[in-house]
Amino acid sequence: MAALLARFPKVQLQLVVTDRAIDLIEERIDLALRVRHALTSDASLTMRSLGHSRWILVASPACAARLGPDLKDLTAHPTLGTSDDPGDATWTLERDDGAIEVLRHQPRMTCADYGAVCDAAADGLGIAFLPDHACAAHIAAGKLVRVYSEWRSQSGIVHLVFTTRRGLPPAVRALVDVMAKEIPAL
């Protein structure tokens, strides 16, 4: 973002982090970064695929040490959610052999900002279900470890969505190009 804003000093950037569906045209949003299991969209929108992502279960090493061997034990421990919605959360997990588990739980904390949830998990506040790329640095630093590593989400397609290729403001076009180049291969 720093390079983009330096190149376009008059551009004002507003980042909206949410897990709800957004109508780009109605809400006057120039660009969305989305992860979906299938690329389906309105014909008036343009998409650019960036790679794939999976969600994984992570916890601080101390929190992980308290977990039992069975995935269902997880619901007896504090969890962290990534939704804006209060109340129960549902995690759908799958294994390579095709087994699927649906875990319903009441998160101790919720926040749509993955970085905040990642930090909370690293601080030992609970178990989080996060995109692998969002917690990779914390895992590499030893602040988080994968738990129940045979379980993960279905693979999602990471992609940018914007309203049009023609007439796209130069700053938005530059942001699309920067994100396509700078987001590490997923």
Side-chain angles (χ1 to χ4, degrees):
M1 297 299 141
L4 175 81
L5 293 176
R7 183 173 166 199
F8 296 96
K10 293 184 180 181
V11 166
Q12 293 179 327
L13 182 64
Q14 178 185 13
L15 298 176
V16 178
V17 179
T18 184
D19 66 347
R20 68 176 173 84
I22 291 192
D23 182 329
L24 271 64
I25 295 168
E26 185 175 311
E27 296 186 44
R28 300 180 48 106
I29 293 177
D30 294 316
L31 178 68
L33 177 65
R34 293 181 174 165
V35 179
R36 300 286 187 267
H37 299 296
L39 292 180
T40 56
S41 184
D42 184 312
S44 64
L45 300 178
T46 302
M47 288 182 275
R48 182 165 179 182
S49 181
L50 302 178
H52 291 83
S53 175
R54 288 187 181 222
W55 288 51
I56 58 175
L57 293 163
V58 294
S60 69
C63 185
R66 294 189 296 270
L67 296 174
D70 188 330
L71 178 67
K72 293 186 193 257
D73 295 338
L74 183 132
T75 57
H77 297 272
T79 57
L80 306 171
T82 57
S83 174
D84 287 332
D85 299 326
D88 287 349
T90 302
W91 292 343
T92 302
L93 303 159
E94 68 177 40
R95 265 190 333 220
D96 287 337
D97 66 4
I100 293 177
E101 286 285 339
V102 177
L103 296 175
R104 286 178 178 70
H105 58 100
Q106 176 73 44
R108 179 179 191 187
M109 180 190 108
T110 63
C111 180
D113 182 326
Y114 298 155
V117 174
C118 195
D119 288 343
D123 288 341
L125 297 182
I127 300 148
F129 190 44
L130 289 165
D132 51 7
H133 61 276
C135 54
H138 279 68
I139 291 171
K143 295 177 182 177
L144 289 175
V145 295
R146 278 192 75 176
V147 295
Y148 305 109
S149 59
E150 67 276 15
W151 294 96
R152 36 112 182 110
S153 73
Q154 184 180 31
S155 183
I157 303 163
V158 180
H159 59 285
L160 297 172
V161 182
F162 42 99
T163 54
T164 181
R165 285 188 192 271
R166 295 160 120 197
L168 203 58
V172 176
R173 166 61 33 208
L175 182 56
V176 168
D177 293 342
V178 165
M179 290 180 78
K181 185 174 108 178
E182 297 296 325
I183 290 180
L186 302 172

